[in-house]
């Protein structure tokens, strides 16, 4: 009699449950946040490979940087750096707005961040057009285009993330409890900003 009752209870639970079972989460860190952190770690290693080649040229091979006869636009890149760094503050503003339920601040911060990032990428492309040397001209030119171009590609990816975040924000998708769609792109964007500071400091200033 007891076994029949248990079997009936299990059958009832089976009827109520639809879809796959709830996933087992062994970490206290949320899956989206952990996935973004692991992705950023892999990207740091990717940049590290190009920085290794850069420092090999400058330290081991003792080659002049940049190649004699070429000029890096330090001032333009410096202004562009200020533009990108300021976008870190605006994405933080957007995230704080999302956490506090201030939709106007969230939307303004996301839109401003997107426009600043687009400005940075536009200036960088214009720099490539007028810089006066090509990637195949020398090893230094190759490393320059690889490092700055790799970062530009990450900015492009970040702009796409910000575009989707903007669309969702203006459709009213985010709340103080559910704003992962702002936080995750924000983490990635901070990584892009920090990486550019390193690229600018080593490639343009040192």
């Amino acid at each position: 009699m007891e076994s029949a009752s248990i079997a009936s209870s299990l059958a009832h639970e089976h009827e109520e449950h639809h879809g796959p079972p709830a996933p087992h989460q062994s970490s206290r860190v949320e899956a989206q946040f952990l996935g973004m952190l692991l992705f950023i770690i892999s990207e740091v290693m990717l940049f590290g490979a190009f920085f290794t080649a850069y420092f090999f040229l400058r330290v081991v091979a003792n080659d002049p940087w940049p190649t004699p006869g070429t000029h890096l636009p330090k001032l333009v890149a410096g202004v562009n750096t200020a533009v990108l760094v300021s976008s870190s503050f605006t994405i933080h503003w957007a995230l704080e707005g999302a956490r506090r339920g201030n939709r106007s601040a969230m939307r303004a911060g996301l839109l401003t961040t997107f426009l600043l990032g687009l400005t940075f990428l536009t200036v960088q492309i214009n720099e490539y057009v007028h810089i006066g040397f090509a990637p195949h001209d020398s090893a230094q030119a190759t490393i320059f285009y690889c490092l700055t171009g790799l970062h530009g590609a990450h900015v492009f990816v970040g702009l796409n993330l910000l575009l989707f975040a903007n669309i969702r924000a203006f459709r009213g998708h985010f709340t103080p409890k559910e704003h992962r769609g702002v936080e995750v792109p924000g983490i990635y964007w901070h990584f892009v900003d920090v990486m550019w500071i390193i690229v600018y400091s080593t490639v343009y200033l040192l």
Side-chain angles (χ1 to χ4, degrees):
M1 188 72 177
E2 184 179 350
S3 60
S5 177
I6 294 175
S8 176
S9 176
L10 290 174
H12 181 68
E13 291 179 2
H14 179 72
E15 290 177 358
E16 289 184 348
H17 179 75
H18 297 283
H24 175 70
Q25 192 166 340
S26 59
S27 174
R28 295 182 179 179
V29 181
E30 291 187 18
Q32 300 95 326
F33 183 78
L34 180 61
M36 180 55 71
L37 289 181
L38 293 176
F39 173 74
I40 287 175
I41 291 172
S42 69
E43 294 303 289
V44 168
M45 291 188 286
L46 176 61
F47 273 97
F50 287 99
F51 275 115
T52 300
Y54 166 80
F55 284 111
F56 178 85
L57 283 177
R58 297 203 61 178
V59 179
V60 180
N62 199 28
D63 288 343
W65 184 273
T67 306
T70 62
H71 171 71
L72 298 181
K74 297 180 181 179
L75 180 59
V76 174
V79 173
N80 217 20
T81 300
V83 169
L84 193 62
V85 169
S86 64
S87 68
S88 272
F89 294 96
T90 57
I91 192 64
H92 178 73
W93 177 33
L95 180 57
E96 287 301 309
R99 287 171 176 168
R100 297 173 182 175
N102 188 340
R103 292 184 179 275
S104 297
M106 176 184 65
R107 291 168 179 170
L110 283 172
L111 182 59
T112 305
T113 304
F114 178 82
L115 294 175
L116 288 172
L118 186 62
T119 300
F120 173 88
L121 193 59
T122 303
V123 172
Q124 185 174 6
I125 294 173
N126 183 70
E127 177 184 314
Y128 286 166
V129 173
H130 298 93
I131 199 166
F133 59 86
H136 58 268
D137 288 345
S138 63
Q140 293 90 333
T142 302
I143 295 300
F144 170 82
Y145 275 97
C146 284
L147 274 173
T148 57
L150 179 64
H151 180 269
H154 282 75
V155 172
F156 179 76
V157 172
L159 286 175
N160 282 278
L161 295 176
L162 288 171
L163 178 61
F164 286 119
N166 271 282
I167 293 172
R168 293 188 62 193
F170 280 91
R171 289 183 176 180
H173 287 189
F174 302 123
T175 66
K177 291 184 178 180
E178 297 293 336
H179 52 266
R180 187 64 71 190
V182 178
E183 185 174 11
V184 171
I187 295 171
Y188 180 83
W189 196 253
H190 286 308
F191 160 73
V192 168
D193 289 359
V194 171
M195 190 54 65
W196 175 252
I197 292 174
I198 298 173
V199 171
Y200 174 68
S201 299
T202 53
V203 173
Y204 288 87
L205 300 182
L206 293 182

